[in-house]
Amino acid sequence: MDEQAITNLFMNEIYQYPVLSIVKTNQLLKDYKENGSEEAYQKLIIHNLGLAKTVAKKYQSQCQTMNYLDLVQESVLIMMKAIRLYDMNSEAKLSTYITRSLKKTLPVKIYKYDPNIKVPYQVKIAERKYNNYVKQYQKETGRIPSRQEIQQETKLSDYYMKAVEELSQVKPKSLDETCVDKNKTRF
């Protein structure tokens, strides 16, 4: 069976299990959390597969190194952990909690699967925050903000400010060229 056939089979299987009502979800959660019911846990997983599939689909374009089924599998694993960690006293619905967990964790998983040499994920987030603020500030005032203004507004530590500044100085190298690090940078 080829990958497309397996994907179609999986998608057809998902659609057999509709989304549960809030009342039914809460009953299953209570049964799972208070009585340790494996059956309730399995039902929660099965009836939320569509949610995991939907979020995985949104990240598919960002991931060139993982096929779609692997992405869905990662989403399901994240969802299973979210169900286990969900606090019944939380004001958020289970589906909201799962979605937040997926949106927070899936990009990190995708990033870790990428075989290319890369900048640490936290530095990339800091760089995005830094650049977004600089663009917004330039648009509003017509000038480039000072380092202190950037740091005060973005709340980036000295470490991340320095990392982003060093990163902006790095020029891409050819894959055919040998890299020699004369400055012994961290990246």
Side-chain angles (χ1 to χ4, degrees), residues 27-45:
Q27 287 172 345
L28 289 170
L29 274 169
K30 186 176 181 181
D31 194 25
Y32 169 63
K33 295 287 185 175
E34 291 177 3
N35 304 325
S37 170
E38 245 342 273
E39 183 181 339
Y41 179 62
Q42 293 299 322
K43 284 183 180 179
L44 287 167
I45 293 168

Side-chain angles (χ1 to χ4, degrees), residues 10-11 14 19 44-60 68-83 94-95 98-103 106:
F10 179 70
M11 295 310 152
I14 285 175
V19 177
L44 287 167
I45 293 168
I46 289 170
H47 287 279
N48 283 292
L49 284 174
L51 181 59
K53 177 205 71 98
T54 301
V55 175
K57 184 81 171 164
K58 290 180 182 178
Y59 285 97
Q60 186 177 12
Y68 180 60
L69 285 178
D70 288 341
L71 207 51
V72 171
Q73 181 179 350
E74 284 296 331
S75 295
V76 170
L77 292 172
I78 294 165
M79 178 191 66
M80 291 168 68
K81 184 174 182 179
I83 292 170
L94 177 63
S95 59
I98 291 170
T99 303
R100 288 179 186 158
S101 295
L102 286 166
K103 287 183 175 181
L106 201 53

Side-chain angles (χ1 to χ4, degrees), residues 59 62 102-114 118-129 159-160 164 167 187:
Y59 285 97
Q62 294 179 19
L102 286 166
K103 287 183 175 181
K104 183 178 179 182
T105 311
L106 201 53
V108 176
K109 295 281 187 184
I110 291 169
Y111 190 79
K112 286 181 179 178
Y113 273 99
D114 190 353
K118 52 198 169 261
V119 174
Y121 187 72
Q122 292 80 5
V123 175
K124 289 300 283 180
I125 291 172
E127 179 188 35
R128 188 176 310 129
K129 198 177 203 182
Y159 172 80
Y160 285 115
V164 169
L167 189 59
F187 305 114

Side-chain angles (χ1 to χ4, degrees), residues 117 170-185 187:
I117 297 172
V170 175
K171 303 291 183 239
K173 297 277 186 184
S174 166
L175 293 177
D176 299 326
E177 191 177 320
T178 304
C179 294
V180 178
D181 189 4
K182 296 175 186 168
N183 299 328
K184 300 199 181 348
T185 49
F187 305 114

